[in-house]
Amino acid sequence: MQSAAPFTDTLSDVSPPEDQRHTAVLTREAFTHTFRQAAAEPPAEKTADILTHCQSWIVSAPTPEAAALRRAMLLVGLDQWGLAFSQAFGIVAIPLLTQLIGDLRTQTDTIEDARLLQQLEQLDAQEGNAIDFKINLRRDIHMALWHAMAGSADPESAQPILQTLGSLLLTLDTRMPTLGWRLVADTLAHIQIRLLGSELPPLAQRGTQQLLDALRQALPAEHYKAIQAHATSALLDWQRARRAH
């Protein structure tokens, strides 16, 4: 069984949990908007509106350090969204996303750029840094991929998406040895909640079972049991909260 090792978010004073969660939501919205624009016929050519929205959130931060951290989280989050969807759908590039990331990255002066680099380093310095952002970012990406898999026209088109989701979960578990397994469990719990909460096509059921089987085969038995136990506990908490209302 995995230990419930304590962790400290050393960035929570700069960006409180609610700010981190809002930044994750904004990242999801920015990527979704940009991705839809890129897929439009003909493709859109500008990302001015969403860039303005992101910049407004950044400049509204209470301190220069908080602004730099908001920018850093947006950049990291957009990059991770782009990588995940590029892998899942075999996309070589998403030019509008590249443009948005480039604009966010370059619209800084020398002092702001130094602060940005420092906050980017801090995001990677400890697993628990900006953990609320990381949890919500990963959950959003994983669930978006799961819904895309569930909505696929056939198993063949669902398979690359499913493989990407499984790979992301395993990589997360490896790269974050203390907290990664909890984020994997969080995703599995939310998938099970979706399965319980609505009528979904058989493809969603089959794809989910394939995902669980792949994780079970790839992870040590006790480790997988710990993840499933954590996911089940979260699912039961959700069911109790739902009944209470």
Side-chain angles (χ1 to χ4, degrees):
M1 179 69 71
Q2 290 281 345
S3 63
F7 65 91
T8 300
D9 180 359
T10 65
L11 297 177
S12 61
D13 289 341
V14 179
S15 179
E18 58 271 21
D19 274 20
Q20 295 180 26
R21 290 190 290 268
H22 182 82
T23 305
V25 170
L26 179 56
T27 305
R28 182 191 68 220
E29 292 174 348
F31 174 79
T32 302
H33 179 81
T34 304
F35 191 71
R36 287 174 177 169
Q37 281 188 315
E41 292 293 343
E45 296 181 356
K46 295 182 179 180
T47 58
D49 291 345
I50 196 63
L51 175 62
T52 299
H53 194 31
C54 291
Q55 291 284 31
S56 295
W57 173 241
I58 291 169
V59 300
S60 68
T63 67
E65 289 73 20
L69 182 52
R70 287 181 180 183
R71 189 183 300 274
M73 288 188 288
L74 282 166
L75 288 170
V76 168
L78 288 170
D79 184 61
Q80 291 186 17
W81 270 101
L83 286 173
F85 271 63
S86 295
Q87 292 172 12
F89 296 100
I91 301 170
V92 176
I94 309 174
L96 286 178
L97 179 63
T98 302
Q99 178 186 332
L100 175 60
I101 291 174
D103 288 342
L104 284 171
R105 181 65 181 83
T106 57
Q107 291 187 7
T108 57
D109 60 29
T110 303
I111 296 176
E112 290 170 336
D113 192 57
R115 290 195 189 102
L116 173 61
L117 292 175
Q118 182 180 28
Q119 297 300 344
L120 286 169
E121 291 176 359
Q122 287 301 309
L123 280 174
D124 280 338
Q126 296 183 30
E127 290 181 37
N129 284 355
I131 189 60
D132 284 86
F133 170 75
K134 291 175 181 176
I135 289 172
N136 285 273
L137 170 70
R138 287 295 185 169
R139 180 191 299 157
D140 286 345
I141 293 173
H142 298 159
M143 293 309 299
L145 290 174
W146 182 83
H147 280 291
M149 177 277 296
S152 297
D154 51 62
E156 288 72 25
S157 57
Q159 200 59 36
I161 305 173
L162 194 60
Q163 289 175 348
T164 299
L165 177 54
S167 176
L168 288 175
L169 291 172
L170 290 173
T171 300
L172 179 61
D173 182 68
T174 300
R175 293 186 64 180
M176 297 179 68
T178 301
L179 300 174
W181 71 280
R182 295 175 181 270
L183 274 65
V184 173
D186 175 84
T187 291
L188 296 185
H190 278 77
I191 287 174
Q192 293 177 66
I193 288 170
R194 296 297 188 278
L195 290 172
L196 290 173
S198 60
E199 290 294 328
L200 291 166
L203 183 60
Q205 301 278 354
R206 292 197 301 271
T208 300
Q209 190 57 53
Q210 289 179 30
L211 176 65
L212 294 176
D213 290 343
L215 292 174
R216 184 185 300 110
Q217 293 171 12
L219 296 170
E222 288 302 314
H223 189 51
Y224 179 76
K225 288 179 182 178
I227 290 172
Q228 277 289 45
H230 200 73
T232 300
S233 177
L235 176 61
L236 292 174
D237 288 344
W238 174 81
Q239 290 177 316
R240 283 192 289 268
R242 195 180 188 191
R243 286 194 294 268
H245 287 85

